Amino acid sequence: MPVANEINSPFDQLVGQPLAAAYLSAAVQARYLAQAYLFIGPLGAGKAQAASLFARSLLCPNQGDDDCEACRLVTSQSHPDLKTLAPEGAGAYLAAQMHDLIREATLAPILSSRKVYIVSQSDRMSTHFANAFLRLLEEPPRNVVFILLAQSLTAILPTIQSRCQLVPFAAVPESIGISLLVDECAIDIDAARAALAYSAGSVADARDLVLSTNLNALKRELTDCLRGLVSYDALDVLEAARSLVIACKLPLDELRADQERRLEEGRELLSRSALNNLEQRLKREMTAAERGSVVWVIHAIRIWLRDVLLYVTARADEIVNTDQRDLVALYASSLKTPLGSVLRCLDATLEADLNLDYNVSVQSIFEFLLFTIRAELGEQ
């Protein structure tokens, strides 16, 4: 059995997933590959990072141990033989995405000896998409590996499961995530714990949050909004919702710059047809990222409301936003019926998630949330 720190494997980067790392590393080294893999585990377990590392190992001539051009292209998400799919319509996959996948999967690789498709949130496949994908797995194209990511097997067709190699991922202990963030980002324990909470337990996303100027600006805008909400009139609430909509676009600036770089690299490597396909994927990626910013804000409000709930139930020592204790205490003391008011506000965040899936405007979603919270406060 290999001893820790004696292996030079890209999978050593995986946090808290020794079994998944060992399995994927062994599969690459033995060159014994399945046609499809199904990574199963909770949010924050590192499935997306593992999929990227696995893709790098499959597309690199040196199995991902090198800082070669292929590795750099995978890391920058611009390798022409790597495609990542995500739901693009009302929280589910679109028929057009399956059409593109079937057409592209039959094409020969461009730089590598194989192609890799990462299907994120594969438990959000529509029935039509799942059945079409099943047919693709039944007669798989040559030199193509599919990596499916999901939180649970429940929503995955058993026939799809049977054609995939299952790779389970466990929840990463909070203590490990906090320790890594403290060491890597030079922040204190409270800040690391908050970053993990805002990132649904994902160490990689928490690291991005700590290091991203734009994400932190969005977080500050939300905090300012919640701080002022206690005294806002109706017009102020509408303006605050508009400001949140604008702030949600801040994290997209980083993605936009990254997309421009990927397009520039694509112009040097890809045919006109492949470049057009890349442009369409980047547009869909931007649409998904716009939705992701809104999801993040709703999740952040839920985290903050959880802190208020902890405060009113005499568990203030467990709150996440330790730098905002005064704001949490202010809300706890201002609520009409503390416990019931917090629960009604939490229900509103769930309704906001549904409204987003039904393509309700972001402005309307934020107005609904802010007016609901404001209505549960005492006299204005």
Side-chain angles (χ1 to χ4, degrees):
M1 179 177 295
V3 179
N5 300 324
E6 289 186 1
I7 309 174
N8 182 22
S9 165
F11 299 103
D12 292 340
Q13 300 176 44
L14 282 182
V15 176
Q17 304 295 341
L19 295 180
Y23 173 81
L24 294 174
S25 180
V28 171
Q29 292 174 17
R31 300 183 183 275
Y32 181 75
L33 299 174
Q35 189 73 53
Y37 293 82
L38 179 53
F39 292 6
I40 291 289
L43 282 174
K47 300 187 297 296
Q49 181 189 18
S52 179
L53 293 172
F54 194 33
R56 172 178 161 177
S57 298
L58 297 179
L59 297 175
C60 171
N62 297 311
Q63 301 180 346
D65 280 347
D66 198 359
D67 188 25
C68 63
E69 181 65 14
C71 289
R72 289 193 290 272
L73 288 173
V74 170
T75 301
S76 65
Q77 302 180 53
S78 53
H79 197 295
D81 297 322
L82 171 63
K83 304 293 186 299
T84 299
L85 285 74
E88 295 174 2
Y93 280 94
L94 301 175
Q97 291 179 270
M98 175 50 68
H99 179 270
D100 290 345
L101 174 59
I102 293 174
R103 177 178 53 80
E104 293 180 7
T106 58
L107 300 177
I110 297 175
L111 293 181
S112 178
S113 60
R114 60 172 62 88
K115 300 171 70 174
V116 177
Y117 287 87
I118 300 173
V119 186
S120 63
Q121 300 180 64
S122 58
D123 40 5
R124 288 196 168 192
M125 290 182 181
S126 65
T127 301
H128 174 78
F129 190 101
N131 287 330
F133 189 76
L134 174 60
R135 289 194 291 273
L136 188 60
L137 289 182
E138 289 173 340
E139 299 181 10
R142 293 182 60 243
N143 301 323
V144 174
V145 175
F146 296 100
I147 306 172
L148 285 68
L149 315 182
Q151 293 186 54
S152 169
L153 291 174
T154 305
I156 306 293
L157 288 178
T159 43
I160 289 181
Q161 296 179 35
S162 67
R163 287 167 173 77
C164 296
Q165 178 63 55
L166 180 65
V167 183
F169 285 72
V172 177
E174 184 185 52
S175 59
I176 293 179
I178 289 175
S179 178
L180 285 170
L181 290 172
V182 168
D183 292 342
E184 295 178 12
C185 302
I187 56 178
D188 60 33
I189 291 176
D190 285 343
R193 181 166 171 261
L196 278 175
Y198 276 88
S199 306
S202 169
V203 175
D205 289 348
R207 187 186 297 112
D208 290 343
L209 173 59
V210 171
L211 300 177
S212 170
T213 301
N214 289 328
L215 274 175
N216 278 286
L218 173 57
K219 185 180 178 183
R220 286 194 299 272
E221 181 66 35
L222 175 60
T223 300
D224 291 344
C225 170
L226 294 174
R227 183 172 292 279
L229 193 57
V230 177
S231 59
Y232 281 171
D233 60 22
L235 188 60
D236 292 330
V237 174
L238 295 176
E239 181 61 26
R242 189 183 73 84
S243 296
L244 277 180
V245 172
I246 294 173
C248 277
K249 299 182 184 301
L250 292 175
L252 305 181
D253 292 342
E254 296 169 357
L255 174 60
R256 191 171 290 108
D258 179 64
Q259 287 190 342
E260 291 174 357
R261 177 188 53 75
R262 289 156 64 186
L263 269 177
E264 188 62 31
E265 292 177 347
R267 292 188 182 97
E268 299 177 359
L269 296 170
L270 305 178
S271 65
R272 181 180 297 275
S273 175
L275 184 60
N276 288 336
N277 290 335
L278 175 61
E279 290 173 345
Q280 292 303 312
R281 284 198 303 274
L282 293 181
K283 288 180 181 178
R284 294 199 294 259
E285 182 182 89
M286 181 61 70
T287 300
E290 291 172 352
R291 184 182 188 277
S293 288
V294 181
V295 169
W296 189 92
V297 169
I298 297 172
H299 174 70
I301 291 175
R302 192 176 292 126
I303 292 295
W304 175 78
L305 288 169
R306 174 186 175 275
D307 278 355
V308 178
L309 182 62
L310 289 170
Y311 194 96
V312 300
T313 55
R315 296 167 59 187
D317 58 321
E318 299 178 33
I319 68 173
V320 167
N321 294 289
T322 54
D323 59 333
Q324 299 293 330
R325 286 183 183 275
D326 62 326
L327 179 58
V328 173
L330 175 63
Y331 267 77
S333 63
S334 300
L335 295 172
K336 292 177 179 177
T337 55
L339 187 56
S341 292
V342 178
L343 295 178
R344 284 188 288 273
C345 291
L346 285 168
D347 285 342
T349 65
L350 299 178
E351 187 171 346
D353 285 333
L354 291 175
N355 288 337
L356 185 60
D357 284 345
Y358 285 110
N359 292 323
V360 175
S361 75
V362 176
Q363 175 78 24
S364 297
I365 290 172
F366 287 161
E367 289 175 3
F368 162 71
L369 273 175
L370 297 181
F371 272 117
T372 299
I373 295 172
R374 179 176 173 272
E376 294 299 336
L377 300 176
E379 292 298 323
Q380 307 298 311

